[in-house]
Amino acid sequence: MGYRNLQECVADLERRRELIRIETEVDPNLEIGAVQRRVYQAGGPALLFTRVKGCRFPMLGNLFGTLDRTRYIFRDALDDIRHLVELKINPVAALRNPLEYLGVPRAALHLLPKKVSRGPVLASRTTIDQLPQLKSWPMDGGPFVTLPQVYSESPLRPGFRHSNLGMYRVQLGGNDYRLNEEVGIHYQIHRGIGVHHAEAIGRGMPFRVSVFVGGPPALTVAAVMPLPEGLPELSFAGLLGGRRLEMVAPQGQLPMPAEADFVITGTIDPAKTLPEGPFGDHLGYYSLVHDFPVLRVESVWHRPDAIWPFTTVGRPPQEDTTFGAFIHELTGLLIPEVLPGVKAVHAVDAAGVHPLLLAIGSERYVPYAESRQPRELLTIANAILGNGQLSLAKYLFISPHEDNPPDIHHVDAFLRFMLERVDWRRDLHFQTRTTIDTLDYSGSGLNEGSKVVIAAAGEKRRELPAELPAGLRLPEGFSTPCVCLPGVLAVQGGAFAESRDLNRFCSFFAPDDPINRFPLIVICDDSDFTARTLNNFLWVTFTRSNPATDISGIGEQTRAKHWGCEGSLVIDARIKPHHAPPLVDVPEIERRVDALGAAGGALHGVI
């Protein structure tokens, strides 16, 4: 069976030398986050900080820092989950191999939470200012809970069957929050708590919300799972944890995990918001200050041996990269069930997840045609952009499986395959005013921006150059061309001023100019940095551009309101005045981390 609580998990990992204790005092203000990021990059162990400056609670970082460790934590349930997925895809599988599926009925019993009358979490109370005051980046607006499990129930249909558990950012102090009385709840668009909030607004009454921290590790993963409607996250936590989740409900409050480490309880006034942020986030930039709901704190419960789990986020890859990979392993086979015609989908972590989505679909509408072109692919693309969190994608590249594309997790190979076949006159399909990720500041406003579908099908139409053409000319103000990968050229531009700068670049070239051998050109602030690694190219190009405003092309044309270009597609990926600032490490803090890794330091041999 899985771990009953976080303490069992910590003890087991320590026995396996998958966890080390840091006995040196470490500051939760910037330093602990920097340590965790460095150990994650080194593929290191989980970290239990036993001496947290200014706080009596130990902190646990990098618990899910490697995919192998994450698989180990949930090892007892993985076969049962795999079998349930297989039965969803093929219900007769159990009839063919009944012995292999004997554990499925037992696993299904774990879906129902178990009500209990008492639990360790109710042993003690504290206040918000006594919790670890974690700040990950220097411009953070205050201390944040970075692995929260925010629990709410439908005001119209109370009970766990209509509940939501989500990982929404929780700001513990700073800004205009009244210390110990209020905390900020930052949730992005297309999140389940938003439905409950809307119901509360309709009733004109506050609704109860609790923030769980710690507890069985399965709760943390359940809070980030993109589950279908009708399957509560609490049920999935029981399934992944290999045991029914024990829930206790103090009088007048929502139920809470009996084995949680901490629980913050309170109510959200549906009419009240306060400024929240800024906060370093997973696109590699700060999310800025905006008004978000406020939780009026009633109680802060904790167990006697409470541990505060945390992570830090920043430019990927980070620990949340492991979450994404693990979730794909659990649910990837279900994608064709949810989206007929889709063979595979990959949200590219290095590009910030939502900015870039790769997909493989089917092209069966006209199978007898002499040459294949996107038809069914466009129907499938619309279905993808209308489904759950996939709807937040900004760039969607999609190819038919009939063309035998490479594995979409080989991002560079897949992009090369697309660029060999794309026809920029035909294959670009824009949504010019729509919603994008709340954390993406490349658009026209908060939650506002554009999308583009790039659907390419058919025979290879070009060879992709891997070297600069002889005699390459660039207009004044543009310099230092660098090849990012075959067919992709980075060109350094001046500081962004206005879009006419991009138009001047494109109009400088005729459609038959040699530069058009590169089907994709990226205008950027630092072409050497952009071309240095694949991850740099992905991050710069897709986090710093808004398709409708930042895509142009050589020999552009509009026919029947369809935009395309004869020559190269050009993306302006320079930092714009309205963009959020990127995250930058603090040299003094990095020197402290270096000292921990030096001979005699707590992390010597780890980093």
Side-chain angles (χ1 to χ4, degrees):
M1 299 181 71
Y3 302 114
R4 184 182 299 276
N5 49 48
L6 192 57
Q7 287 67 25
E8 289 183 358
C9 178
V10 165
D12 186 31
L13 293 179
E14 190 168 24
R15 284 192 297 269
R16 288 175 50 85
R17 298 185 179 180
E18 281 280 340
L19 177 145
I20 60 174
R21 292 175 180 260
I22 308 296
E23 307 286 356
T24 306
E25 184 179 73
V26 184
D27 196 335
N29 182 26
L30 303 182
E31 187 178 5
I32 276 182
V35 172
Q36 186 269 324
R37 292 194 298 273
R38 189 82 69 86
V39 173
Y40 171 81
Q41 297 296 336
L47 305 169
L48 186 64
F49 297 88
T50 60
R51 293 180 58 200
V52 178
K53 185 176 182 179
C55 182
R56 61 190 173 95
F57 297 109
M59 296 178 67
L60 174 66
N62 210 42
L63 178 62
F64 305 104
T66 70
L67 190 54
D68 284 343
R69 184 160 60 248
T70 304
R71 292 182 186 125
Y72 175 79
I73 290 171
F74 303 111
R75 63 197 178 279
D76 293 336
L78 294 184
D79 282 345
D80 288 336
I81 293 175
R82 177 173 58 83
H83 289 147
L84 283 169
V85 170
E86 290 170 352
L87 289 176
K88 169 67 176 175
I89 297 171
N90 180 15
V92 302
L95 299 177
R96 295 173 182 166
N97 301 287
L99 294 178
E100 187 175 351
Y101 293 88
L102 286 178
V104 169
R106 181 189 69 249
L109 293 175
H110 299 152
L111 292 168
L112 185 64
K114 180 181 179 181
K115 295 180 181 179
V116 297
S117 59
R118 64 187 65 182
V121 71
L122 298 180
S124 304
R125 294 198 194 195
T126 188
T127 54
I128 295 294
D129 62 337
Q130 297 301 303
L131 300 175
Q133 304 295 294
L134 176 73
K135 286 181 64 176
S136 302
W137 299 97
M139 286 175 55
D140 284 356
F144 288 87
V145 188
T146 55
L147 285 178
Q149 308 148 26
V150 181
Y151 181 76
S152 60
E153 294 181 356
S154 166
L156 302 181
R157 295 175 292 175
F160 98 94
R161 294 184 185 279
H162 300 286
S163 66
N164 178 76
L165 186 73
M167 193 167 286
Y168 314 129
R169 199 165 73 212
V170 177
Q171 185 171 345
L172 297 177
N175 295 358
D176 296 326
Y177 299 117
R178 291 180 293 178
L179 184 62
N180 295 325
E181 297 180 21
E182 296 174 329
V183 300
I185 304 290
H186 175 295
Y187 67 85
Q188 297 154 247
I189 60 172
H190 210 292
R191 298 301 193 266
I193 192 175
V195 176
H196 297 165
H197 199 165
E199 292 176 354
I201 290 173
R203 298 179 67 198
M205 296 177 62
F207 70 110
R208 289 199 165 275
V209 171
S210 295
V211 180
F212 313 152
V213 182
L219 272 170
T220 300
V221 176
V224 296
M225 283 293 295
L227 298 177
E229 288 190 27
L231 178 59
E233 288 82 5
L234 294 185
S235 291
F236 184 82
L239 179 65
L240 183 61
R243 62 173 70 236
R244 293 178 67 185
L245 186 64
E246 294 184 350
M247 301 291 289
V248 60
Q251 183 67 32
Q253 298 190 17
L254 293 174
M256 61 183 71
E259 297 283 347
D261 287 80
F262 300 86
V263 176
I264 304 168
T265 68
T267 58
I268 287 181
D269 181 344
K272 182 174 183 177
T273 60
L274 282 175
E276 186 268 357
F279 181 75
D281 227 312
H282 73 261
L283 268 72
Y285 307 88
Y286 286 95
S287 60
L288 303 180
V289 177
H290 300 283
D291 287 349
F292 279 97
V294 180
L295 179 72
R296 184 177 179 276
V297 177
E298 294 179 350
S299 301
V300 183
W301 303 88
H302 72 89
R303 58 187 297 143
D305 53 354
I307 298 171
W308 184 270
F310 77 97
T311 190
T312 56
V313 289
R315 180 189 162 183
Q318 299 287 348
E319 189 176 4
D320 51 2
T321 300
T322 306
F323 281 126
F326 185 63
I327 288 169
H328 179 77
E329 287 189 356
L330 295 179
T331 63
L333 292 176
L334 285 173
I335 288 174
E337 292 292 302
V338 177
L339 295 166
V342 175
K343 304 300 181 181
V345 172
H346 177 40
V348 180
D349 181 73
V353 181
H354 293 311
L356 177 60
L357 195 65
L358 310 180
I360 296 174
S362 302
E363 190 51 74
R364 302 165 295 187
Y365 279 3
V366 191
Y368 51 82
E370 290 186 8
S371 61
R372 196 165 14 252
Q373 61 178 289
R375 292 186 173 94
E376 185 182 8
L377 283 186
L378 300 180
T379 301
I380 291 170
N382 284 326
I384 290 172
L385 294 180
N387 184 269
Q389 293 187 33
L390 297 178
S391 66
L392 300 179
K394 190 168 62 173
Y395 286 82
L396 169 57
F397 286 75
I398 185 168
S399 172
H401 79 94
E402 291 87 352
D403 286 348
N404 297 312
D407 187 329
I408 55 174
H409 291 87
H410 299 154
V411 176
D412 53 347
F414 186 83
L415 289 177
R416 288 198 299 268
F417 183 87
M418 292 286 295
L419 292 175
E420 287 172 342
R421 287 159 176 78
V422 70
D423 182 345
W424 296 131
R425 299 167 300 178
R426 178 194 68 191
D427 293 339
L428 293 161
H429 308 274
F430 289 87
Q431 293 183 14
T432 56
R433 292 179 66 95
T434 187
T435 53
I436 61 173
D437 187 358
T438 303
L439 307 177
D440 190 334
Y441 285 86
S442 67
S444 52
L446 185 66
N447 300 321
E448 297 177 356
S450 62
K451 305 179 188 298
V452 64
V453 172
I454 300 166
E459 298 295 323
K460 179 176 175 179
R461 61 173 58 236
R462 63 177 66 85
E463 295 291 335
L464 301 179
E467 297 180 353
L468 296 175
L472 176 65
R473 303 174 304 119
L474 294 173
E476 183 180 353
F478 297 89
S479 64
T480 325
C482 300
V483 177
C484 299
L485 61 157
V488 180
L489 185 66
V491 174
Q492 190 160 307
F496 179 85
E498 53 186 341
S499 59
R500 283 182 294 185
D501 195 30
L502 185 62
N503 295 335
R504 182 171 62 83
F505 178 88
C506 293
S507 63
F508 181 82
F509 303 99
D512 60 352
D513 191 285
I515 199 172
N516 291 292
R517 293 176 55 206
F518 290 88
L520 178 59
I521 299 172
V522 178
I523 307 298
C524 54
D525 298 299
D526 185 340
S527 56
D528 179 68
F529 172 83
T530 302
R532 192 174 303 155
T533 67
L534 174 64
N535 280 0
N536 284 1
F537 158 70
L538 295 170
W539 183 60
V540 168
T541 302
F542 299 106
T543 66
R544 297 180 181 178
S545 62
N546 177 33
T549 57
D550 295 328
I551 285 181
S552 190
I554 296 172
E556 67 175 358
Q557 54 190 238
T558 302
R559 294 178 180 174
K561 298 185 175 63
H562 181 89
W563 185 92
C565 57
E566 292 282 346
S568 303
L569 189 77
V570 182
I571 299 177
D572 190 338
R574 290 174 290 183
I575 292 178
K576 319 298 191 302
H578 60 279
H579 287 186
L583 303 176
V584 179
D585 291 327
V586 180
E588 177 189 349
I589 299 297
E590 294 304 311
R591 285 193 290 270
R592 290 191 218 166
V593 180
D594 291 338
L596 289 173
L603 292 173
H604 181 60
V606 176
I607 59 174

